[in-house]
Every structure is written in structure tokens, then in C-alpha cells.
Amino acid sequence: MNQEELKKILPHRDNMLLIDEAELRDGVAYGKKTIRPDEWFLQGHFPGNPVVPGVILCEILGQSTCVLLSETAEGNATPYFTGLDKVRFKNSVHPGDVLETECTLLKHKGPFYWASGKGFVNGKLCVSAEFSFALIKE
């Protein structure tokens, strides 16, 4: 899926649609984000040594996971983070890096979904987390 296809399943637009592409293979969501030097979230984080903020890495994992939710979501429900657990930052992500994500659903009950995700640059683990969502009909 490219960004235009992702817009059909994600409510994010403009600067907040963070993933460039995603695909679903064998129940696993794979996403990619190329970090450009002019990204809004790098401005001031940190001057002379730009590093992608951890919260942005978590959002990229969450958006990648939504590819999995698109198959199970009913109607036009919006995914909202409800929790982040076991978040670990192993290596920093910088401009020019391509962050590749791998996300799986762990379980779901009603509108709540639990997932795990990892983000890699050149095969090196940068972020891992478990998180939950609620799919809310607007």
C-alpha cells in the first residue's frame, strides 16, 4: 500500500501520516518510513544531531499496525491508542534512515486490540513495544 491507499484505512493526513508504505503478509504488517532531513519532528530535536523522537517511533509502529486492523474493523471506526507497554529504544533513528516496521496483533476483545511491534534500520533493532488500541466509531 502506498500513502494514497493508506489514507483509505488511516484517518491521519498531512504531516501526521508518517508511514510511506505498508503491506500485510501472513498476518504480519510491514511498514516503511524514510526519514527526511526536513521532517517537522526533527526541528529542534536535537540541533546538530537530529534524532527521531521516541513518541514518533511509537506512532509509526501504531500506524503500521492499522494495516492489520483494517481487515477486522467494522465500518468507519477510528483507532485510538489506549496504552503503550514494554517500550524499548535500542538505537537512535536519524535523517536518511529507512525505518522498517514489523507488527502483529496479539489479541482482541470487543473494540480493543493488543499488538506488538518492532522497528529496524538496516536490520538493527531501534524500537520495540507492546501497545493497545480501541476502535471507536465516530
Side-chain angles (χ1 to χ4, degrees):
M1 295 180 156
N2 61 30
Q3 276 201 335
E4 289 307 310
E5 293 166 317
L6 288 166
K7 286 179 182 178
K8 294 176 185 171
I9 62 170
L10 289 171
H12 305 77
R13 294 295 180 269
D14 300 322
N15 294 333
M16 280 308 296
L17 179 56
L18 297 174
I19 55 177
D20 297 326
E21 60 185 78
E23 67 177 313
L24 184 58
R25 290 193 318 252
D26 301 322
V28 179
Y30 297 92
K32 284 187 181 179
K33 169 64 177 172
T34 300
I35 308 301
R36 297 181 326 272
D38 65 344
E39 300 280 6
W40 63 270
F41 49 78
L42 293 174
Q43 308 311 309
H45 195 270
F46 302 104
N49 182 28
V51 175
V52 177
V55 68
I56 297 296
L57 296 175
C58 291
E59 179 66 24
I60 291 169
L61 290 177
Q63 288 184 22
S64 295
T65 301
C66 288
V67 174
L68 291 165
L69 298 176
S70 69
E71 290 194 335
T72 58
E74 296 177 19
N76 292 329
T78 302
Y80 288 94
F81 264 129
T82 57
L84 288 164
D85 294 306
K86 300 179 184 171
V87 179
R88 298 291 179 265
F89 303 106
K90 301 291 186 180
N91 292 286
S92 55
V93 180
H94 302 275
D97 288 344
V98 177
L99 182 70
E100 297 185 55
T101 62
E102 186 176 305
C103 302
T104 58
L105 286 179
L106 301 173
K107 64 181 179 176
H108 95 276
K109 184 174 184 177
F112 298 98
Y113 291 78
W114 289 264
S116 67
K118 294 179 180 178
F120 304 87
V121 172
N122 295 323
K124 198 176 203 181
L125 182 64
C126 296
V127 59
S128 62
E130 291 183 4
F131 39 93
S132 56
F133 292 92
L135 289 181
I136 306 298
K137 290 186 181 188
E138 299 292 324

